[in-house]
Amino acid sequence: MVRTVLAFGVAVLLGTRIQVVQTLHPGALLAMAAVPFWWSASRRFRGARAIIALSVVMAGSGYWLTEFARATHSVSTVLQTQQTLLVLSIAAMIGMFLWLRTSAPEWLLTLGFGVGMLGTTVLLSDGLGDNPWKFGYAVPTALIALSIAHRIGGFALQAVAALLLAGVSAVQDSRSAFGLFVLTAMLLLFQLKPVKPGRRKSALRTAVGLALTAVVIFQLGQAAVLEGALGEATRERSERQVEQSGSLLLGSRPEAAATVALLVARPFGYGSGTLPNLDDLRVAKTGQSEIGYNPDNGYVDHYMFGLGYEVHSILGDYWIRFGLPGLAFVLLLVTLLVRGIAQRLAESNASGVALFVGAQTLWSVLFSPIFASAPLLVVAVATLLAPRAPRTLDQGP
């Protein structure tokens, strides 16, 4: 009982996002200090050691890429320290969460993490802009609601909770959250389908079905948005984005065009402490112009390239800052998450929280910045990594 309560308290601390040192918050500091405690537990989960090892390699790669870029770029030691601490703290928090999994149930840990995130959101609510649900409350509310539904009910209750969250997201003009909650509900209901005796669901077929389901939901969601199902303001904004680039995804994500242009120009990356120069800005803006987006604005000049490279995707951020090891990390991340979701669906034991955080993180790989995505990345990886089978003693004669 005491260990369970302590695990819940640590999970709350891990979810708290009040920065105290550089980019680190109390939970991250605790996780980095507690390496000797959780290190052995990480060996018990497939892929955990690879995630941690690649994080260390990325830290070194970011440093050397920054040194290489000194000849043509200005560099920032402060920025380099922040980015290095961020990737190392993410790895440490994953290790800590995996350690907690050995002594507490999943729903309790994700509930605690959600409580920690919600507390931070309330304290920092003044910085949430004109859409607090979209930029602050949606994720922690989802973690709490889905965790409680997991504890007290089955897949049907969790699906109802996900659909209610989708409804709130629709009213609050949060298109991506709406789609992810609907996807979560559908996958929960999928697990209610009985399996014929003697047959097992295939993880590979499940993964293919998962991809097809996501495509169908996107197409239906796009059609619903353009028909005004999420409100007239959302419809008009979406129509402008489609007219600009021919795609709702590209039109609403000009950062992707900048990412492609930058990485074509320098595929081995830029460095964790490297600052953009005028040539980088020109390359990025040219890529954005080619999809019909006007890049001459404060968002591009100040947010994306004012204090470093921020291309609003885990893939782009990691590749640009840490080079090819960053790309390898993201590919490993995607592989582990897809395999984890598919395997749990095939075994009919995928909770609503696991499905939501996994789907949200896969979305963030292309469409969300690493700093904002870090909390759910930690929960997604630590929740979906499969335990290794226990070793058996040789029972020979």
Side-chain angles (χ1 to χ4, degrees):
M1 179 64 179
V2 174
R3 292 184 64 185
T4 302
V5 173
L6 287 175
F8 178 80
V10 173
V12 172
L13 201 60
L14 291 176
T16 304
R17 301 288 289 171
I18 304 295
Q19 296 179 45
V20 292
V21 178
Q22 297 286 358
T23 55
L24 302 180
H25 52 86
L29 289 171
L30 174 63
M32 295 181 76
V35 172
F37 294 94
W38 57 254
W39 176 249
S40 60
S42 66
R43 183 174 56 187
R44 297 164 60 179
F45 297 88
R46 295 191 184 96
R49 290 285 176 91
I51 286 282
I52 296 167
L54 267 177
S55 297
V56 175
V57 172
M58 279 195 297
S61 176
Y63 171 81
W64 287 113
L65 285 171
T66 301
E67 292 302 306
F68 181 78
R70 281 185 184 273
T72 54
H73 294 69
S74 298
V75 301
S76 168
T77 303
V78 172
L79 178 64
Q80 184 177 38
T81 301
Q82 291 174 342
Q83 302 302 338
T84 301
L85 288 175
L86 179 60
V87 297
L88 293 178
S89 66
I90 288 173
M93 290 175 66
I94 290 172
M96 175 69 89
F97 203 108
L98 290 172
W99 183 44
L100 297 178
R101 276 184 62 183
T102 64
S103 59
E106 173 189 307
W107 71 267
L108 186 67
L109 298 177
T110 54
L111 174 63
F113 201 97
V115 169
M117 287 190 70
L118 182 61
T120 302
T121 302
V122 172
L123 290 174
L124 303 180
S125 58
D126 291 341
L128 297 179
D130 58 356
N131 195 332
W133 173 260
K134 179 178 181 179
F135 297 114
Y137 289 100
V139 169
T141 301
L143 289 177
I144 293 171
L146 292 172
S147 296
I148 293 174
H150 181 196
R151 174 65 181 88
I152 66 176
F155 295 134
L157 181 60
Q158 294 176 70
V160 170
L163 290 174
L164 289 174
L165 291 164
V168 176
S169 298
V171 173
Q172 296 296 324
D173 188 22
S174 183
R175 295 173 297 182
S176 60
F178 169 77
L180 291 170
F181 286 131
V182 171
L183 175 62
T184 298
M186 290 185 65
L187 294 178
L188 285 165
L189 295 174
F190 166 78
Q191 295 177 91
L192 293 174
K193 179 181 178 181
V195 180
K196 294 181 180 180
R199 294 189 60 182
R200 296 180 58 188
K201 296 178 183 176
S202 163
L204 178 59
R205 287 198 301 270
T206 302
V208 173
L210 176 63
L212 293 175
T213 300
V215 171
V216 170
I217 289 178
F218 172 75
Q219 295 295 336
L220 293 175
Q222 177 174 265
V225 167
L226 295 176
E227 289 294 328
L230 301 188
E232 195 62 23
T234 302
R235 182 188 66 79
E236 292 176 356
R237 177 158 54 91
S238 301
E239 285 182 344
R240 288 195 300 270
Q241 291 166 350
V242 172
E243 290 172 359
Q244 283 180 337
S245 64
S247 167
L248 187 57
L249 280 181
L250 287 179
S252 61
R253 311 289 174 178
E255 302 91 349
T259 303
V260 172
L262 286 168
L263 291 173
V264 167
R266 198 182 182 105
F268 53 84
Y270 290 77
S272 54
T274 305
L275 299 175
N277 60 20
L278 291 177
D279 285 340
D280 298 334
L281 195 58
R282 176 186 54 80
V283 168
K285 286 187 173 183
T286 298
Q288 291 177 318
S289 297
E290 290 176 353
I291 65 166
Y293 177 79
N294 180 8
D296 295 320
N297 57 60
Y299 175 75
V300 174
D301 292 331
H302 301 300
Y303 174 76
M304 291 185 64
F305 301 109
L307 298 173
Y309 301 86
E310 179 47 74
V311 293
H312 217 269
S313 74
I314 294 177
L315 173 61
D317 285 349
Y318 268 47
W319 194 348
I320 285 174
R321 297 171 188 174
F322 306 105
L324 297 180
L327 172 62
F329 178 92
V330 175
L331 293 177
L332 175 63
L333 172 69
V334 171
T335 300
L336 292 174
L337 292 181
V338 171
R339 185 173 68 182
I341 292 172
Q343 187 63 48
R344 293 187 67 168
L345 285 173
E347 297 171 355
S348 295
N349 69 349
S351 67
V353 172
L355 292 171
F356 170 68
V357 296
Q360 176 68 70
T361 302
L362 289 172
W363 172 268
S364 297
V365 165
L366 295 178
F367 303 120
S368 294
I370 180 58
F371 183 77
S373 306
L376 281 198
L377 190 159
V378 169
V379 179
V381 173
T383 301
L384 288 168
L385 287 187
R388 293 183 182 277
R391 294 182 178 180
T392 57
L393 297 176
D394 184 6
Q395 299 296 328

